[in-house]
Amino acid sequence: MPKKPGTTAPIGHSLLSYAIVPTESAPPLAAGVVVDGRFEVVSFLGRGAVGEVYRVRDRRRGKDVALKLLSKALAQSAEAKAGFRREVEIALDITHPNVVRVHDVGEWEGRPYLHMELVDGGALRAKMTGASFGLERTLEIARGFLAGLAHAHSRGIVHRDVKPENI
């Protein structure tokens, strides 16, 4: 695939969805489980397109972060695992105030994971329910996420899953 000049990202490369999608199913990992000897599960946050997302306590840094663990089903595929790692490596290079910062990638029990900045406050979808945003607040939100998308696009990355749950 062709690369955008000055980047390592192929043109039009898609980032995996790192957003949290609430789910009714029971959390696959219980609170207290320690992932990779470092991340203690605090709570299950939701399920994304490729795996589960947890609030975890990073024992090394002494703070809470988000951890996305590739689903067990996708972890069985060498191609899916390689794609997950490749896209995380690209995401590690994205630094923008309107884009969640990915810190690192690892593997635990055969399942790749990434840990990233934890953003409290909930997704836009939850805030939209029953809420009425004025024009100024709507424009502020739109400018913020569009600036983040424009930055990713300038690096040759296409998100492909823009929706209120991911904002």
Side-chain angles (χ1 to χ4, degrees):
M1 179 174 263
K3 295 188 174 131
K4 183 170 182 160
T7 74
T8 58
I11 294 173
H13 197 80
S14 169
L15 282 178
L16 295 173
S17 169
Y18 300 123
I20 299 164
V21 179
T23 180
E24 299 299 321
S25 64
L29 297 180
V33 170
V34 178
V35 174
D36 209 13
R38 178 176 174 187
F39 303 102
E40 183 175 351
V41 175
V42 174
S43 62
F44 176 69
L45 296 176
R47 189 173 319 279
V50 297
E52 300 94 35
V53 181
Y54 299 88
R55 178 185 205 109
V56 297
R57 183 77 175 168
D58 181 345
R59 292 176 162 182
R60 188 178 308 158
R61 297 175 62 209
K63 64 185 279 186
D64 286 359
V65 295
L67 185 130
K68 183 159 195 170
L69 190 61
L70 189 67
S71 73
K72 286 182 181 180
L74 287 175
Q76 302 305 309
S77 163
E79 184 178 336
K81 287 170 75 170
F84 183 84
R85 284 191 195 93
R86 189 172 44 253
E87 294 195 23
V88 170
E89 290 299 323
I90 292 168
L92 286 166
D93 291 334
I94 301 293
T95 304
H96 189 275
N98 298 101
V99 177
V100 172
R101 182 77 178 137
V102 175
H103 298 298
D104 205 358
V105 63
E107 188 166 313
W108 177 71
E109 297 186 355
R111 296 171 68 186
Y113 68 82
L114 66 89
H115 67 99
M116 61 191 159
E117 172 186 14
L118 177 68
V119 180
D120 283 318
L124 180 59
R125 171 76 68 206
K127 296 182 183 311
M128 289 170 48
T129 306
S132 175
F133 296 117
L135 178 61
E136 287 306 311
R137 180 67 179 137
T138 300
L139 291 173
E140 179 185 356
I141 292 167
R143 285 184 192 111
F145 81 79
L146 289 172
L149 280 176
H151 180 74
H153 288 175
S154 76
R155 305 280 310 206
I157 296 168
V158 178
H159 188 285
R160 299 185 200 260
D161 196 22
V162 177
K163 58 188 176 187
E165 290 82 2
N166 293 347
I167 298 171

